[in-house]
Amino acid sequence: MPVMARVLELEAIAEKVEAGRRLTEAEGERLFDRDVDLHAVGRLAQAVRRRRHGDVAYYNINAHLNPTNVCVYRCPLCAYSCDPGDARAYVMALDAILACADEAASSGCTELHIVGGVHPEQPYEWYVEMIRSIHQAYPRLHLKAWTAVEIAWFARLAERTVEGVLGEMIEAGLGSLPGGGAEIFDAAVRRQIAPRKPDAETWLDVHRTAHRLGLRSNATMLYGHVERPRHRIDHLVRLRRLQDETGGFQAFVPLSFHPHGTGLSHLRPASGLDDLRVVAISRLMLDNFDHIKAYWVSLGVGTAQIAVAYGADDLDGTVRQERIHHDAGSSAPDMLTVDQLERLIREAGCRPVERDTLYRPVRRQGAEWEVAGS
Ligand code: SF4
């Protein structure tokens, strides 16, 4: 395309963004072209982010719990899972799970993020009892638990509908869904990175049902492996469509693929520049999502901090004991303190605000906290 036509095309995209009009798939894909200046895309995304959130950037105080690493699906993309009987295999006992929840609650966490493998032998009741026991012991801890892949497995295991499983989990104390397992929706890409995992429609249906039952959820996208820009845009547009339908998503979380230790270890990871472009384009395409998260465990602390100036408004949390990305070679630390998170946000030119899982501001004195206005 001649230079002048390219300039006019990008000006037209910028005008649409400034007027708050929705970008098309073709426009989104165009922004992934390397000849489109990354910093110009970042500036546009940052303007959208500032319109929504001003100078606020969020973080939360949370902990992760990965109850088992045994998984029937053994996706090529995964460095975390293993077969039963593997020397690395573990299944946490309920006592250990409660000890982890106790540590989270007593150190002032507002949220416990629970996801893991899909174990071939653990009964459905184990998963429900886990939620019920934690919720009964620590009712203030918001339980953001289970990917759509896990929920679909529970339905199969219990021979119940997704609605039935979600209803029982809600009754036991489930607070929201974290949004993992989406990977890339395109079927051909999915066949290469996660061939046995439930398909895109299953993932979208679980979230649709969760939203109908009043649960909020997040949505993820794993990029930086074999996908192309058109697959990323297709993924974002499918999420945007479901959000138009339900309004139940809170945040979008782009996850940068770490090939180390996976069945795709020959691939080169995404560069920091690619990470920033994905964050910025996500902000521009997902005009009906309130929040774009720069998940520092996946992006690395430095890139996540810069992402706050490229359209992201949330650095996620303090994150204790995360295993899934660390097993795949993430060089991010195991946790960040509140002081570190707040400093990262301030250095990025924003004002740090602690939030709970539902993005309500939290007022805090040490480990004591309350949701502002409640
Ligand atoms: Fe199992 Fe999830 Fe790993 Fe796939 S990515 S093997 S579903 S834990």
Side-chain angles (χ1 to χ4, degrees):
M1 187 185 288
V3 176
M4 200 53 205
R6 277 210 309 259
V7 170
L8 288 175
E9 186 189 27
L10 294 178
E11 276 180 7
I13 292 177
E15 274 170 25
K16 273 180 99 170
V17 171
E18 275 152 27
R21 282 161 50 217
R22 178 165 279 191
L23 297 186
T24 64
E25 287 186 50
E27 288 164 338
E29 215 178 309
R30 178 77 181 98
L31 294 177
F32 273 113
D33 285 353
R34 280 174 195 269
D35 68 356
V36 175
D37 179 40
L38 166 64
H39 307 300
V41 180
R43 271 195 300 277
L44 276 182
Q46 193 64 351
V48 174
R49 174 229 187 286
R50 283 200 182 274
R51 232 167 25 219
R52 280 182 176 270
H53 303 290
D55 65 349
V56 166
Y58 296 97
Y59 68 92
N60 74 341
I61 299 186
N62 66 349
H64 281 220
L65 173 68
N66 305 131
T68 177
N69 62 349
V70 176
C71 189
V72 289
Y73 290 124
R74 300 307 317 279
C75 306
L77 66 83
C78 185
Y80 164 74
S81 69
C82 59
D83 292 321
D86 188 292
R88 288 192 303 121
Y90 72 83
V91 177
M92 288 175 75
L94 192 55
D95 282 357
I97 287 169
L98 285 171
C100 177
D102 181 69
E103 192 193 332
S106 55
S107 52
C109 290
T110 57
E111 168 190 289
L112 193 57
H113 175 128
I114 310 172
V115 292
V118 168
H119 196 294
E121 286 144 25
Q122 290 300 106
Y124 169 62
E125 291 71 27
W126 182 64
Y127 300 97
V128 181
E129 276 318 300
M130 191 186 310
I131 297 295
R132 196 183 305 286
S133 307
I134 300 173
H135 182 64
Q136 277 173 357
Y138 309 100
R140 296 192 75 208
L141 208 49
H142 180 107
L143 304 183
K144 184 178 76 176
W146 315 132
T147 66
V149 172
E150 288 169 297
I151 296 290
W153 175 259
F154 302 158
R156 190 168 142 186
L157 202 58
E159 298 183 346
R160 301 183 56 176
T161 60
V162 163
E163 180 168 351
V165 166
L166 284 169
E168 186 163 11
M169 286 286 179
I170 292 169
E171 183 270 320
L174 178 69
S176 63
L177 299 184
E183 321 309 358
I184 283 278
F185 289 146
D186 179 85
V189 173
R190 219 171 167 84
R191 268 197 296 280
Q192 294 179 66
I193 63 170
R196 290 174 291 277
K197 191 174 261 196
D199 63 9
E201 276 317 309
T202 304
W203 191 97
L204 290 163
D205 251 352
V206 168
H207 283 261
R208 182 180 287 112
T209 307
H211 297 169
R212 183 156 43 78
L213 296 179
L215 278 186
R216 306 302 303 273
S217 71
N218 294 335
T220 59
M221 173 176 78
L222 186 75
Y223 66 90
H225 39 81
V226 299
E227 90 290 355
R228 294 283 170 268
R230 67 190 155 87
H231 301 125
R232 297 174 181 177
I233 292 295
D234 167 68
H235 190 95
L236 295 175
V237 168
R238 291 204 218 187
L239 289 174
R240 189 168 75 179
R241 219 176 281 141
L242 182 55
Q243 179 74 331
D244 278 343
E245 189 185 319
T246 67
F249 289 117
Q250 301 195 110
F252 174 69
V253 194
L255 299 173
S256 191
F257 177 57
H258 292 272
H260 176 79
T262 72
L264 302 167
S265 58
H266 57 286
L267 296 176
R268 238 191 6 218
S271 68
L273 295 179
D274 202 20
D275 290 330
L276 293 174
R277 196 179 285 270
V278 170
V279 168
I281 294 174
S282 304
R283 180 62 285 168
L284 293 171
M285 290 300 291
L286 296 176
D287 57 353
N288 53 4
F289 273 62
D290 280 340
H291 303 284
I292 304 292
K293 198 180 279 196
Y295 183 42
W296 59 264
V297 176
S298 164
L299 297 181
V301 174
T303 304
Q305 184 186 34
I306 302 168
V308 171
Y310 277 72
D313 61 278
D314 184 1
L315 265 189
D316 200 72
T318 46
V319 183
R320 291 148 189 265
Q321 298 175 342
E322 192 283 339
R323 287 275 42 94
I324 294 172
H325 292 269
H326 285 96
D327 283 357
S330 167
S331 57
D334 272 347
M335 70 171 286
L336 290 178
T337 63
V338 168
D339 283 351
Q340 287 170 318
L341 281 166
E342 292 202 345
R343 182 175 54 77
L344 288 167
I345 290 170
R346 282 204 188 90
E347 284 173 358
C350 291
R351 184 164 54 89
V353 170
E354 184 190 341
R355 62 164 178 88
D356 72 352
T357 309
L358 303 175
Y359 286 85
R360 298 172 301 189
V362 169
R363 269 203 301 260
R364 168 176 302 274
Q365 252 191 335
E368 296 303 313
W369 58 271
E370 61 178 15
V371 174
S374 67

